[in-house]
Amino acid sequence: MINSTSSYFIFSTYLHVGTLRYLLFMLTAVIYMFILISNTSLIVVICMNRSLHEPMYVFLCSLFVNELYGSTGLFPLLLLQILSDVHTVSRPLCFLQIFCLYTYVNVEFCNLAVMSYDRYLAICCPLQYNTRMTVNKAVTFIIVLWVYSSVKCLVTLSLNIRLPLCGNVLDSLYCNNYLIVKLACSDTTVNNIYGLFGVLITVLVPLLPILFSYTKILQVCFSGFKQTRQKAVSTCAPHLVSLLNFSFGCLFEIMQSRFDMSTFPSELRILLSLYFLIMQPLLNPLMFGLQMSTIRNAWRLVVCAQTSQGF
C-alpha cells in the first residue's frame, strides 16, 4: 500500500515504444505548434480588425483563447512524459492540470452555448439583435462563463485535495479527477455525488440554451425563405460540427473513467482519451477560420498589410 503522503502520481497508460518515442514527440510537438499558431493568428485577426468587433467574433475569440488554454494544460506535460522513462508527475502539478483541463471543458461547453444563443438572436430576431446582443453584453457573458467554470472546478479540487490516498497509480495519460478519487482511503460519497452533479450541470447548463436556440432556428429555416435557410446553414454549420465533435470526445472520456474499458485495444483507448483535447483545438480554427468568409477576408487584409510593410 502506498503511503497517503505520496507526493507524486504514476501514469500507467504510456506504452514502451523504444526509439519511436522521438518520432511521437516530434509529431506531438508539431500538433501543439499548429494549435498555438492557428488559434493565436485568429485571435490577432479578430482583435486587429475593427469590422470583427462584434458579439459573434468576441465569442469566437474567447473560444480560441480557451483552445490555447486547454492545449497548454495538456501538451507541455504530455511532451515531457513521451521522452521520459519514468512517467510520474508531482501532486501539485497534477491538481493544476486537473483544474486547467476541467475548466477548459466547462468553458468550451458554455462558450458554445452562448454562441448558439447569439445565432438564435441573429437569425430569429434580426431587427432586435443589435439591442439585445451588444459587445458589452458579449464580454459580460464571457466573464461570467469563465468565472462560473473556474469556481465549479475549484470546488471539485477542494474536495479532492483533502482525500488521503492509498495508491498513486493513474490509468491515464494525464491527471484525471475521478481516477484520483478512486485511490482514496476514506469515504468518497461526497466526492462521487458532487462529481455526478458536476457532470450533469456541465452538460445540462449549456444544453438547455443550445436546444432552445436550435429548435427556434430550425423553425425559421423550415418556414422562411431560401436565403434565410442558406444564412442559417452557413453560420450554424461550423458551430454544430464543433459541438458534436467535442461532445463525442467528452462522452468517451467520461465512459472510460467511469466504466471498465479494458476490452478496448490500448492504442484505441489512448487515441480516444486524447481526442477531445487535441481534435477540438485543431478543428475549431479550421472550421471557423475557413468557413466564415468575414474571417478569411480579414486574414487576407492582415497578411497583405504585413507584407506591404515588409517591402
Side-chain angles (χ1 to χ4, degrees), residues 17-263:
V17 292
T19 54
L20 277 177
R21 62 183 174 179
Y22 299 109
L23 176 61
L24 290 174
F25 176 86
M26 291 299 298
L27 290 174
T28 306
V30 168
I31 292 172
Y32 184 40
M33 289 302 298
F34 179 81
I35 290 172
L36 291 178
I37 293 170
S38 59
N39 284 280
T40 302
S41 298
L42 290 171
I43 293 169
V44 170
V45 167
I46 292 172
C47 291
M48 289 181 62
N49 197 302
R50 289 187 177 275
S51 65
L52 300 182
H53 293 179
E54 299 177 4
M56 178 172 65
Y57 302 107
V58 172
F59 292 133
L60 278 176
C61 193
S62 172
L63 194 70
F64 298 141
V65 169
N66 192 45
E67 308 307 351
L68 293 175
Y69 172 71
S71 300
T72 303
L74 170 72
F75 277 95
L77 182 59
L78 182 65
L79 288 167
L80 288 174
Q81 296 297 329
I82 290 173
L83 288 182
S84 177
D85 293 321
V86 181
H87 307 295
T88 62
V89 60
S90 67
R91 187 166 174 154
L93 187 57
C94 191
F95 283 119
L96 177 61
Q97 186 177 53
I98 288 173
F99 175 79
C100 290
L101 297 184
Y102 279 58
T103 307
Y104 161 72
V105 171
N106 277 272
V107 169
E108 192 80 5
F109 274 124
C110 290
N111 211 129
L112 291 170
V114 294
M115 286 172 67
S116 69
Y117 177 67
D118 175 74
R119 292 300 83 208
Y120 153 72
L121 291 179
I123 294 169
C124 301
C125 312
L127 299 179
Q128 304 170 28
Y129 179 77
N130 290 331
T131 56
R132 294 178 64 177
M133 181 61 74
T134 63
V135 172
N136 288 337
K137 287 182 180 179
V139 172
T140 302
F141 271 122
I142 290 169
I143 292 172
V144 169
L145 69 88
W146 276 89
V147 171
Y148 157 75
S149 301
S150 299
V151 171
K152 181 175 173 291
C153 294
L154 283 173
V155 173
T156 301
L157 280 185
S158 66
L159 291 173
N160 278 13
I161 290 173
R162 64 180 180 83
L163 291 174
L165 305 179
C166 291
N168 67 345
V169 178
L170 302 177
D171 184 21
S172 178
L173 296 173
Y174 49 85
C175 295
N176 182 296
N177 176 64
Y178 185 67
L179 294 181
I180 292 178
V181 173
K182 288 169 69 174
L183 296 175
C185 302
S186 60
D187 181 53
T188 60
T189 303
V190 175
N191 299 74
N192 291 330
I193 292 174
Y194 182 78
L196 290 173
F197 174 73
V199 171
L200 285 175
I201 63 173
T202 298
V203 174
L204 289 180
V205 169
L207 185 62
L208 294 177
I210 289 171
L211 289 177
F212 169 80
S213 300
Y214 277 99
T215 300
K216 296 295 184 180
I217 289 171
L218 285 174
Q219 289 176 355
V220 170
C221 287
F222 286 119
S223 62
F225 297 105
K226 183 179 179 181
Q227 186 178 1
T228 305
R229 288 197 296 270
Q230 289 176 341
K231 177 185 177 183
V233 170
S234 64
T235 58
C236 295
H239 177 266
L240 279 173
V241 171
S242 177
L243 177 64
L244 292 173
N245 176 70
F246 193 64
S247 299
F248 165 77
C250 290
L251 177 63
F252 179 83
E253 184 56 20
I254 291 171
M255 291 175 61
Q256 181 170 247
S257 63
R258 298 274 171 174
F259 304 104
D260 182 18
M261 307 288 285
S262 57
T263 55

